[in-house]
């Protein structure tokens, strides 16, 4: 299993719009082949810090997800909501 965490610092003025944007991404990504878990979390101490949490069966599932229209849209447009570039952390977990 491969875990991906995407850390996002969101412009406070765009926070609600970003939440709606993420809901769409999550709904579509949960339907992708090989997806085991996909959601977003909001930091309990800073409501403008979000984390997208992804669990994938394998690299092939991630590669396919990376080619979807919904992820390509996120990669092209998400930065317009952020105060700095997102940080991506990836870990492989033995089952």
């Amino acid at each position: 299993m491969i875990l991906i965490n995407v850390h996002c610092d969101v412009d406070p003025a765009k926070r609600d719009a970003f939440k709606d944007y993420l809901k769409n991404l999550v709904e579509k990504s949960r339907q992708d082949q090989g997806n085991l878990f996909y959601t977003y979390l909001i930091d309990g101490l800073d409501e403008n810090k979000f984390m997208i949490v992804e669990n994938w069966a394998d690299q092939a599932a991630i590669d396919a997800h990376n080619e979807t229209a919904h992820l390509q849209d996120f990669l092209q447009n998400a930065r317009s909501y952020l105060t700095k570039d997102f940080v991506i952390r990836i870990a492989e977990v033995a089952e």
Side-chain angles (χ1 to χ4, degrees), residues 56-71:
W56 296 96
D58 53 30
Q59 187 61 49
I62 293 170
D63 293 343
H65 171 66
N66 288 345
E67 297 299 321
T68 63
H70 50 275
L71 186 67

Side-chain angles (χ1 to χ4, degrees), residues 21-35:
Y21 189 66
L22 282 183
K23 286 178 187 177
N24 181 58
L25 175 68
V26 168
E27 287 173 0
K28 290 179 178 175
S29 297
R30 285 179 175 177
Q31 298 174 30
D32 291 344
Q33 182 92 20
N35 175 259

Side-chain angles (χ1 to χ4, degrees), residues 10-11 15 17 28 36-37 40 48 51 56 61 82 85 87:
V10 179
D11 178 340
R15 182 180 182 279
K28 290 179 178 175
L36 304 174
F37 182 82
Y40 74 89
N48 298 310
M51 183 169 60
W56 296 96
L82 307 180
D85 203 7
V87 176

